[in-house]
Amino acid sequence: MTLELFITVIIVLGFIILMYKVTFGSLRSGLANEENSIQIARKLINRGRLSEGLSMLERLVEQGSHEAAIMLAQVAPYSPGDEAENEKETSVYWYEKAALLDEEYANWFIFMLDSDLLPDGEHWVGAEDKLEEFLTKAAVKGDIKAQGKLGKFYYKRPKYDKKKEKAIKWLEKAAENDDPSALIELGRHYYDLYMDEEPNSTLSYASKSRSYYERAHHLGKLESSYVGMLLKGIGGEINILEAEKILIGLAEKEDAEFDQLELAKFYSEAEHLPKDIDKARYWYEKAFSSNGSFSSYIQIEYADFLISHSDQDADMVRAKEIIEGYRKEWDTSALFVLAKMYHTGRGVRKDVLTAAMYYELAAKSNYTENLKKRDEVISMLRGYEVRQVQGLVDHYLVKNPIPEHVQSKMDITLAQLIVNDENASELDKEDAIRTLKRLALAGYFEAVRLLPSSYASMNQTFESVVWQKVALETNPINLSFIGFRKEPEYNFEQQADKLTQEQRQRLEEESKALITLVKKELPA
């Protein structure tokens, strides 16, 4: 290497090192300085030099430090609803400052307000108003994401926007700028209108819904209803190829066992996609190999598929093993598949009476399909055969009594069917409601959930409102924390407002006692 070249290399390396120090070095130095300053401010506050520490944090906020704003919120002397000489003394002022300075923190701020909470987890009654204000400011300035979030804010809070006019306005603004979430929300809105519209209506709700879903899909966000619209030709032409492509894409993702099962059933049942048993088997086995939350349902569906579509002895043995395991757990879906096996002689010796017994046992679920098949098979038997079947059922129940939790679910289903049956007598409906109340007080939330509408169907408005309140307060899934409790709360408030003062007092007393009883029995 020549001396001139050596000198040139040294100069270039020196320049690169200098630029690195100027860019990354200054950045790291800035971050380090900010962190050091916050630590110094914290020490000052801890040592009683409060005004110095707070002044230092405020200067850091002015320089763009959202972390300093968070610390100020944490040491603010007043909560949002308390009396304060100026807003800088309240925690919410500084939490909002932090959100304005950092996009990631803004998302957390919005998420917590959406759940009626401050970022530190404290409940705040003014959270909704602050969220509306915060999102509106950003939306008016043209923030597309804020426009979409503001639209969704109004959509699920009827008390702010009874006719959903503000909701649609802001969702459409965001949709104009291709915000996928807003497009999905509008698609759902018009899809619901399509589902509720009168037959032979000339309105274009379906086509509007499909158009929004299609735009969202092209932007990488998919709504499952869109696939159904493609398969059935709702809101436009049937497009089997596009639907199949989407279904395969969904099934290929991680933790997609339910999508895999759905695709397998499409191929095996040939309801929309062309029948292809090999493809169906491939996706059934993919779903079967998972251990997700739908495991039992998927395994029984897979066994049913093998029984219906395979001629291999090994498959019959496998299906029988799966079904036997769930039969012992009193899974009525497994009992129904076992009945099909004996009815057709697939995997077991054909035996119509044993099949009828299992159909009778499966029908105890009170599911319409099970009841229909039971009646169909029993109607083909002679009188003495029907008596034999009943004897088999009684013998089976002695050896395999129905577990209490299974029987309770059966009772809930039957009670719901009776309450919704227009031909059921008043006495039968009242008896069904008593069953639901008994099971609600035993800790079955499904019964709690059904009681408000059940009482309403009997024009027992006060009792309906009482159980609305119980359902809101005892839901094992905390819907308020994920922002989906607003509409049920609003519906309850509307009904409660119609009560007299005396009834409101009774409502508080009765619901309080019921809430205590239900919570005591709910599973941990």
Side-chain angles (χ1 to χ4, degrees), residues 245-508:
K245 181 181 174 183
I246 294 171
L247 287 167
I248 291 171
L250 291 171
E252 287 175 340
K253 294 180 179 179
E254 288 186 30
D255 302 321
E257 65 270 15
F258 195 77
D259 293 311
Q260 292 162 357
L261 176 65
E262 184 178 34
L263 182 55
K265 292 177 78 171
F266 275 132
Y267 281 129
S268 64
E269 296 172 4
E271 185 178 353
H272 299 294
L273 299 182
K275 189 168 188 173
D276 192 320
I277 298 304
D278 289 336
K279 288 182 180 178
R281 182 172 187 131
Y282 172 80
W283 289 110
Y284 266 118
E285 290 185 349
K286 288 276 283 186
F288 181 82
S289 64
S290 69
N291 291 310
S293 54
F294 300 104
S295 181
S296 62
Y297 174 67
I298 288 171
Q299 289 185 34
I300 294 169
E301 288 288 323
Y302 177 55
D304 193 11
F305 166 77
L306 293 176
I307 291 160
S308 303
H309 298 285
S310 177
D311 293 318
Q312 298 176 31
D313 290 341
D315 285 340
M316 296 301 104
V317 172
R318 193 179 189 188
K320 182 74 160 45
E321 287 175 351
I322 293 169
I323 293 303
E324 274 297 320
Y326 289 108
R327 175 193 69 80
K328 293 173 183 176
E329 296 178 11
W330 255 97
D331 188 307
T332 52
S333 297
L335 292 169
F336 188 80
V337 174
L338 194 55
K340 286 172 65 175
M341 293 176 72
Y342 279 102
H343 202 196
T344 59
R346 306 275 292 175
V348 294
R349 177 180 54 82
K350 186 174 181 178
D351 186 334
V352 176
L353 295 184
T354 301
M357 177 195 75
Y358 279 118
Y359 278 129
E360 185 71 57
L361 293 167
K364 290 186 177 297
S365 67
N366 296 303
Y367 294 146
T368 304
E369 181 186 0
N370 295 8
L371 292 166
K372 185 177 178 182
K373 190 64 180 179
R374 185 272 314 270
D375 292 345
E376 178 189 319
V377 171
I378 293 294
S379 68
M380 298 174 69
L381 300 178
R382 297 180 178 89
Y384 73 90
E385 290 176 319
V386 174
R387 290 191 291 275
Q388 282 182 286
V389 170
Q390 190 56 55
L392 290 172
V393 169
D394 293 340
H395 181 70
Y396 185 93
L397 289 171
V398 170
K399 293 185 69 176
N400 305 277
I402 302 173
E404 184 182 344
H405 72 280
V406 174
Q407 184 61 62
S408 296
K409 289 178 182 177
M410 292 175 176
D411 292 343
I412 288 170
T413 303
L414 179 59
Q416 184 180 13
L417 288 170
I418 292 171
V419 168
N420 294 334
D421 185 357
E422 294 179 358
N423 298 318
S425 69
E426 294 288 305
L427 286 175
D428 285 342
K429 288 188 176 184
E430 287 174 4
D431 189 49
I433 288 176
R434 279 194 292 273
T435 297
L436 289 175
K437 186 174 180 180
R438 171 177 60 80
L439 292 168
L441 294 175
Y444 290 91
F445 184 74
E446 181 62 17
V448 177
R449 189 185 66 80
L450 291 169
L451 277 167
S453 59
S454 299
Y455 276 118
S457 71
M458 297 286 287
N459 295 318
Q460 297 181 34
T461 306
F462 178 76
E463 287 77 6
S464 175
V465 178
V466 168
W467 282 98
Q468 279 186 58
K469 186 171 179 63
V470 176
L472 281 170
E473 296 297 327
T474 61
N475 195 328
I477 301 173
N478 189 356
L479 295 178
S480 64
F481 187 70
I482 52 177
F484 292 115
R485 197 177 180 179
K486 303 305 172 185
E487 198 154 352
E489 279 183 354
Y490 177 71
N491 291 336
F492 164 72
E493 289 167 6
Q494 273 192 318
Q495 295 299 318
D497 284 344
K498 297 175 184 177
L499 301 178
T500 64
Q501 187 63 38
E502 182 184 347
Q503 287 175 320
R504 287 297 293 260
Q505 182 64 31
R506 276 183 57 210
L507 168 65
E508 291 303 315

Side-chain angles (χ1 to χ4, degrees), residues 96-109:
E96 186 172 5
K97 276 284 187 185
L100 292 169
L101 291 170
D102 185 83
E103 184 177 352
E104 189 175 334
Y105 193 78
N107 290 332
W108 175 247
F109 185 61

